[in-house]
Amino acid sequence: QQPVQSPQAVILREGEDAVINCSSSKALYSVHWYRQKHGEAPVFLMILLKGGEQKGHEKISASFNEKKQQSSLYLTASQLSYSGTYFCGTVTTQGGSEKLVFGKGTKLTVNP
Amino acid sequence: SAVISQKPSRDICQRGTSLTIQCQVDSQVTMMFWYRQQPGQSLTLIATANQGSEATYESGFVIDKFPISRPNLTFSTLTVSNMSPEDSSIYLCSVEDWGNEQFFGPGTRLTVL
């Protein structure tokens, strides 16, 4: 089942903060976050495992609340380079195997 | 992180023909994945390819349409058979490393006329 991301799009000025949410109706094993710039392949940002841990990557951090079956990506003091589409991917088990299912994405635009 | 290359990077094909996309990884990996991404859309998993076993296809994708080979731990191919304009998309391969992180190839942009 595809996770739900919100918002669908967000426009920021350089230096502003943003939060992108990802929720699932299924119990989650882990949550992955990727950023894809136009015309490029998705780039791995971070993975969060069960346990509610928070991870960071530069000024980007994320949390994972397994009880609420959701994760949030926090972008602090955004830079122009943060522009792109952010996808969360959730890992669930199906038929004994794990697979990564991506949300529809959140398009982030950072303007000067 | 793994370095992944794909060939071709793009192609324009006629309806009814087939195209084979190659994916090469610079290190040995157990699991390789093939995704499809239509313009402005999310990534949809086509199949998982493990070396030495048949590929596992997701709902809506069948082996006759998307045959996959995985002859060794660094290489895989995906064939898009009997193409129609609806197959126009970007096809990406990815690999999973020991930390369960997935790394994507640059993608193959396919246009079917």
Side-chain angles (χ1 to χ4, degrees):
Chain A
Q1 188 132 9
Q2 186 175 42
V4 177
Q5 284 186 237
S6 63
Q8 291 184 339
V10 58
I11 299 174
L12 300 174
R13 288 208 177 273
E14 213 173 353
E16 292 181 338
D17 303 339
V19 180
I20 300 172
N21 299 303
C22 174
S23 64
S24 174
S25 58
K26 286 191 151 188
L28 299 176
Y29 175 73
S30 64
V31 179
H32 301 221
W33 285 97
Y34 291 80
R35 175 171 63 208
Q36 185 176 32
K37 293 183 181 286
H38 183 69
E40 300 180 8
V43 172
F44 173 82
L45 292 176
M46 63 190 78
I47 179 174
L48 298 105
L49 304 176
K50 283 174 78 169
E53 64 180 286
Q54 195 150 342
K55 283 205 163 189
H57 174 79
E58 298 173 343
K59 290 184 180 175
I60 301 173
S61 62
S63 63
F64 176 27
N65 188 323
E66 60 191 89
K67 217 172 185 182
K68 292 185 178 178
Q69 295 168 188
Q70 65 185 36
S71 175
S72 295
L73 187 72
Y74 306 95
L75 299 104
T76 306
S78 59
Q79 305 168 16
L80 296 177
S81 61
Y82 286 4
S83 291
T85 301
Y86 289 77
F87 293 98
C88 72
T90 54
V91 177
T92 57
T93 56
Q94 184 170 319
S97 62
E98 295 177 1
K99 68 173 189 175
L100 188 59
V101 180
F102 288 92
K104 292 188 175 181
T106 296
K107 184 173 182 180
L108 176 73
T109 304
V110 181
N111 293 319
Chain B
S1 61
V3 176
I4 306 165
S5 60
Q6 283 186 235
K7 286 182 186 179
S9 58
R10 58 178 63 224
D11 207 342
I12 300 173
C13 301
Q14 295 297 319
R15 177 195 299 258
T17 62
S18 298
L19 176 72
T20 295
I21 302 168
Q22 299 179 6
C23 178
Q24 179 75 52
V25 190
D26 69 341
S27 58
Q28 295 185 336
V29 293
T30 303
M31 301 185 75
M32 293 180 78
F33 307 89
W34 287 97
Y35 288 86
R36 183 171 74 183
Q37 185 176 33
Q38 302 194 309
Q41 303 296 313
S42 184
L43 298 101
T44 301
L45 181 64
I46 297 171
T48 302
N50 291 337
Q51 195 268 335
S53 62
E54 297 251 338
T56 303
Y57 290 82
E58 296 301 310
S59 175
F61 298 96
V62 294
I63 187 170
D64 289 346
K65 175 68 176 176
F66 298 99
I68 288 172
S69 79
R70 182 78 201 273
N72 57 52
L73 291 173
T74 63
F75 187 78
S76 178
T77 66
L78 169 77
T79 299
V80 187
S81 305
N82 188 24
M83 289 183 286
S84 66
E86 292 71 37
D87 294 319
S88 297
S89 190
I90 299 172
Y91 292 84
L92 301 110
C93 69
S94 75
V95 303
E96 186 177 87
D97 76 354
W98 62 271
N100 298 119
E101 302 164 10
Q102 280 200 26
F103 296 94
F104 287 84
T108 296
R109 185 178 295 269
L110 171 63
T111 302
V112 184
L113 302 177

